[in-house]
Amino acid sequence: MASNGSDDPPVGRTPLRATADNALKIVVVGGFGVGKTTLVGSVSEIRPLNTEEVMTRAGEGIDPAGSWGKRSTTVAFDFGRITLSERQVLYLFGAPGQERFWFLWDRLFSGALGAVVLVDTRRLEDSWYAIDRLEHHGTPFIVARNNFGEPGHTLEQVREALDLPPEVPLVDCDARDRESGKRVLIELVQHLAALAGAETPLTYEESTP
């Protein structure tokens, strides 16, 4: 990375606020190809770190790519950052969706305050493992339906299909849209605040870039 000749951060990167003293770790999980990398990239205020690799013939029959036109895949995790307030920063970790990389999930869950389970209603069964692991770890989570076109089911039908308890928030989103992704994170942070008994729910500042 080229230096700009001063103590300022590299050009094009958002500096971490000097007042920030509270880092929150959030994990984005879900099945293969549901939009986890896209969600992290759309909301991150820094250029997201990702470990996407081009899919090759070696993955045929292992990674279910063909019918969705997916040509790359996350092989470790995605990482992004977003400022919630002057003193709170959110670190986002997107987990790989393929079954052969699920062994990484338990490590990614370590230290996480909460998670977003991203689901595609065309393949709801791909979300069951993520929900099961989060419940096993006792990690609070919300579920976000990533809409690929017009939804074919109501949110209540999705809740019933996933057997979600009423206290788990279920929201709609478009992982490609920054504002939509931010609303998902706001929902999760407020859910965590409510579970912690916080008097004032956490929100994004209006000045968030």
Side-chain angles (χ1 to χ4, degrees):
M1 178 67 68
S3 170
N4 58 9
S6 72
D7 293 330
D8 296 331
V11 176
R13 298 300 182 90
T14 302
L16 183 63
R17 298 188 181 190
T19 55
D21 57 11
N22 189 13
L24 310 175
K25 178 182 177 181
I26 298 299
V27 180
V28 181
V29 295
F32 179 71
V34 297
K36 299 180 296 296
T37 297
T38 301
L39 178 63
V40 172
S42 69
V43 300
S44 178
E45 66 188 22
I46 62 171
R47 184 182 305 155
L49 166 68
N50 65 62
T51 55
E52 289 230 321
E53 296 292 343
V54 175
M55 302 185 71
T56 65
R57 289 185 178 274
E60 290 183 2
I62 300 174
D63 298 327
S67 60
W68 312 315
K70 188 170 174 60
R71 294 293 175 262
S72 63
T73 182
T74 300
V75 296
F77 61 86
D78 304 305
F79 173 76
R81 188 193 78 206
I82 190 166
T83 300
L84 294 173
S85 68
E86 283 195 6
R87 295 192 174 276
Q88 293 170 322
V89 176
L90 187 69
Y91 292 122
L92 292 170
F93 291 82
Q98 309 96 302
E99 183 175 351
R100 61 195 172 107
F101 293 128
W102 284 353
F103 71 92
L104 295 171
W105 286 21
D106 288 348
R107 291 184 177 274
L108 285 177
F109 292 163
S110 177
L113 291 183
V116 174
V117 179
L118 203 60
V119 302
D120 178 352
T121 53
R122 300 170 300 180
R123 297 176 284 117
L124 279 179
E125 66 277 6
D126 291 352
S127 308
W128 292 339
Y129 180 79
I131 292 173
D132 177 73
R133 296 312 299 166
L134 289 168
E135 291 178 339
H136 172 77
H137 282 272
T139 304
F141 66 93
I142 70 168
V143 176
R145 175 174 65 177
N146 189 17
N147 289 320
F148 295 83
E150 190 67 26
H153 305 84
T154 66
L155 286 179
E156 282 308 309
Q157 288 173 324
V158 174
R159 179 179 294 278
E160 182 177 355
L162 292 175
D163 195 25
L164 289 178
E167 63 271 17
V168 175
L170 173 62
V171 297
D172 269 323
C173 79
D174 180 342
R176 301 165 297 180
D177 182 74
R178 178 174 172 81
E179 291 303 315
S180 181
K182 284 170 61 177
R183 287 193 293 271
V184 171
L185 297 181
I186 289 171
E187 185 71 33
L188 174 60
V189 172
Q190 291 182 334
H191 178 55
L192 295 174
L195 291 176
E199 295 181 0
T200 305
L202 304 175
T203 61
Y204 282 93
E205 292 185 334
E206 292 297 326
S207 59
T208 298

